[in-house]
Amino acid sequence: MRSGRHFLQIPGPTNVPDRVLRAMDFPTIDHRGPAFAELGRRVLDGMKRIVKTEAGHVVIYPASGTGAWEAALVNTLSPGDRVLMVETGHFAMLWRRLAEKIGLEPVLVQSSWRTGVDPDALGSALCEHGDVKAVCIVQNETSTGCATLIPEIRAAMNAAGSDALLMVDTISSLASIDMRMDEWGVDVVVAGSQKGLMLPPGLSFTGVSPKALSAHAQARSPRAYWDWSEMLAANERGVFPYTPATNLLYGLSEAIDMLEEEGLEAVFARHDRLAEATRRAVRGWNLEILCEEPRHYSSSLTAVLMPGESGADALRGVILENFDMSLGAGLSKMTDRIFRIGHLGDFNELMLMGTLSGVEMGLAIAGVPHEPDGARAAMEYLIETAGGGA
Ligand SMILES: *Cc1c(COP(=O)(O)O)cnc(C)c1O
């Protein structure tokens, strides 16, 4: 038994707000009945506002984000098609492996794990590989804390005269960092429930542009569970072709209400501010932020490099044992070299200060060389930028 609340400060799954938990605590209803159709329409329309599309559709799956990765590819492409991917980190590499497994031919643009996608490098790759059918970008690389500026990617594709589909993984950025599907010319948006959307794991989404839907009509990859055609036909009536995750959809409806009550722009500004406070704390500890490119700093998480020989996993263990807080581990080639602080979803100033204080105490207990000035630097920034004056 541990008293008080566990601090779940990994960059997803994130803390589920009480309002969402309560909204799901209802009897499961008949998913073919009239009450369900009303809920179905509400969440389908709401998700279009969250990804900012009027021209397109959003498809909702009972699946983790990985399912939406697969859905995006099998619905729009044919075996042997070449797709352009950029090695921004662990998640970009997993999406590439999935593409290979289903018979596509990914062309990989090399990149360091310390920046987002460089539009010039992408433009050169597009000129060299003019036949790619899709460009697949992770908007926010959850393994590194580096975010890519999607309008720059669209501009590089236009400059190269590419008519490939633009697919963007927003699993750890949707509802934390802006996504404007129509305005930015994104053809497929891939999203998941358990990060910025503040829900438990179990739902994923694909935003589908009219151009993606035309590609769908020609695409020959085998698909059944993920098939957009049957989904969109049923969704017209507010229902689904197979049993949807009804109680998660109750939660989704509540989460959309919460995001719209706060206002999406205010939600993004809150994430930007808490992310900046976190970076000031890292500098106050005299530690290094993994992301080397300030334009690419992520507003949903910060990855911190360990100094010298200190291991990140031992530090995370000390923090979990002493303060009941979970931090994100380094993944694949970053294993034990970094820890990741999630600051996305249902999160505020005092939750951030609890998080940063826990890290600062953990650094001291674990004997990691650092300066004890992180929490103070974050507080100074929060005071400077506080909205409510005397
Ligand atoms: C979490 C995450 C995924 C994987 O999602 P699952 O729900 O674990 O399948 C993919 N991409 C990014 C950017 C993520 O953050």
Side-chain angles (χ1 to χ4, degrees):
M1 163 60 200
R2 303 210 54 163
S3 64
R5 187 173 65 75
H6 175 70
F7 267 59
L8 182 67
Q9 296 316 138
I10 60 177
T14 64
N15 297 291
V16 180
D18 290 349
R19 265 180 71 175
V20 168
L21 290 174
R22 289 196 197 102
M24 295 189 299
D25 183 12
F26 277 96
T28 300
I29 56 173
D30 172 12
H31 64 284
R32 303 195 193 283
F36 183 88
E38 203 269 315
L39 170 68
R41 286 207 183 83
R42 194 160 71 235
V43 293
L44 289 163
D45 287 346
M47 283 307 294
K48 286 176 62 172
R49 296 191 301 274
I50 300 294
V51 303
K52 298 184 180 169
T53 186
E54 286 178 5
H57 301 274
V58 176
V59 168
I60 306 177
Y61 296 106
S64 90
T66 301
W69 266 346
E70 181 164 343
L73 300 174
V74 295
N75 272 295
T76 53
L77 300 166
S78 301
D81 279 353
R82 282 149 68 85
V83 295
L84 198 69
M85 297 180 145
V86 185
E87 186 186 351
T88 47
H90 176 74
F91 289 100
M93 297 308 275
L94 284 181
W95 199 6
R96 168 181 176 246
R97 197 178 71 190
L98 188 154
E100 276 172 351
K101 281 185 180 169
I102 61 175
L104 301 173
E105 288 188 17
V107 175
L108 188 68
V109 180
Q110 303 294 328
S111 176
S112 88
W113 286 32
R114 301 194 66 175
T115 71
V117 177
D118 171 10
D120 294 336
L122 185 90
S124 316
L126 276 171
C127 291
E128 196 181 329
H129 306 281
D131 60 340
V132 297
K133 295 285 196 296
V135 172
C136 301
I137 302 289
V138 177
Q139 184 184 21
N140 184 68
E141 226 334 318
T142 323
S143 62
T144 65
C146 300
T148 289
L149 302 164
I150 301 302
E152 291 185 354
I153 301 303
R154 171 39 75 196
M157 289 175 68
N158 292 350
S162 169
D163 67 352
L165 297 167
L166 173 56
M167 305 195 186
V168 181
D169 171 343
T170 70
I171 296 177
S172 63
S173 44
L174 192 67
S176 300
I177 299 171
D178 202 4
M179 165 49 57
R180 305 182 189 182
M181 183 173 156
D182 287 1
E183 188 183 324
W184 295 349
V186 177
D187 294 299
V188 185
V189 170
V190 172
S193 56
Q194 75 272 28
K195 300 183 187 178
L197 287 173
M198 310 181 288
L199 293 163
L203 291 180
S204 61
F205 310 85
T206 51
V208 182
S209 75
K211 181 171 163 181
L213 210 51
S214 313
H216 174 73
Q218 312 297 323
R220 296 186 318 279
S221 291
R223 54 184 178 254
Y225 188 77
W226 307 117
D227 198 331
W228 284 341
S229 302
E230 287 175 39
M231 265 290 189
L232 292 174
N235 286 175
E236 290 276 320
R237 290 173 284 116
V239 296
F240 289 77
Y242 43 72
T243 314
T246 311
N247 291 60
L248 283 170
L249 297 179
Y250 289 142
L252 176 60
S253 177
E254 189 71 16
I256 293 168
D257 284 351
M258 290 173 70
L259 291 167
E260 293 186 331
E261 282 169 28
E262 185 176 354
L264 277 179
E265 301 314 310
V267 170
F268 303 145
R270 169 167 57 82
H271 281 78
D272 292 345
R273 178 165 174 257
L274 298 179
E276 177 59 26
T278 305
R279 292 188 292 268
R280 291 188 184 212
V282 177
R283 294 187 197 111
W285 296 321
N286 199 24
L287 298 180
E288 200 178 337
I289 297 166
L290 182 66
C291 183
E292 284 179 318
E293 184 61 71
R295 304 167 64 242
H296 291 162
Y297 282 152
S298 165
S299 286
S300 55
L301 77 135
T302 300
V304 184
L305 269 169
M306 295 298 288
E309 298 297 295
S310 309
D313 291 344
L315 171 67
R316 289 189 317 107
V318 162
I319 291 171
L320 179 62
E321 190 181 312
N322 285 276
F323 305 116
D324 199 22
M325 174 162 71
S326 299
L327 295 171
L331 299 171
S332 48
K333 77 179 191 192
M334 290 298 162
T335 301
D336 212 28
R337 293 187 52 208
I338 61 168
F339 64 93
R340 297 174 298 142
I341 303 172
H343 35 73
L344 72 165
D346 184 44
F347 196 57
N348 65 22
E349 289 91 341
L350 294 187
M351 293 164 82
L352 177 69
M353 290 318 305
T355 302
L356 298 175
S357 303
V359 173
E360 193 160 317
M361 291 188 285
L363 289 166
I365 296 166
V368 177
H370 73 289
E371 300 294 327
D373 277 329
R376 192 184 50 77
M379 281 196 286
E380 277 172 8
Y381 178 72
L382 293 177
I383 293 165
E384 267 166 41
T385 54

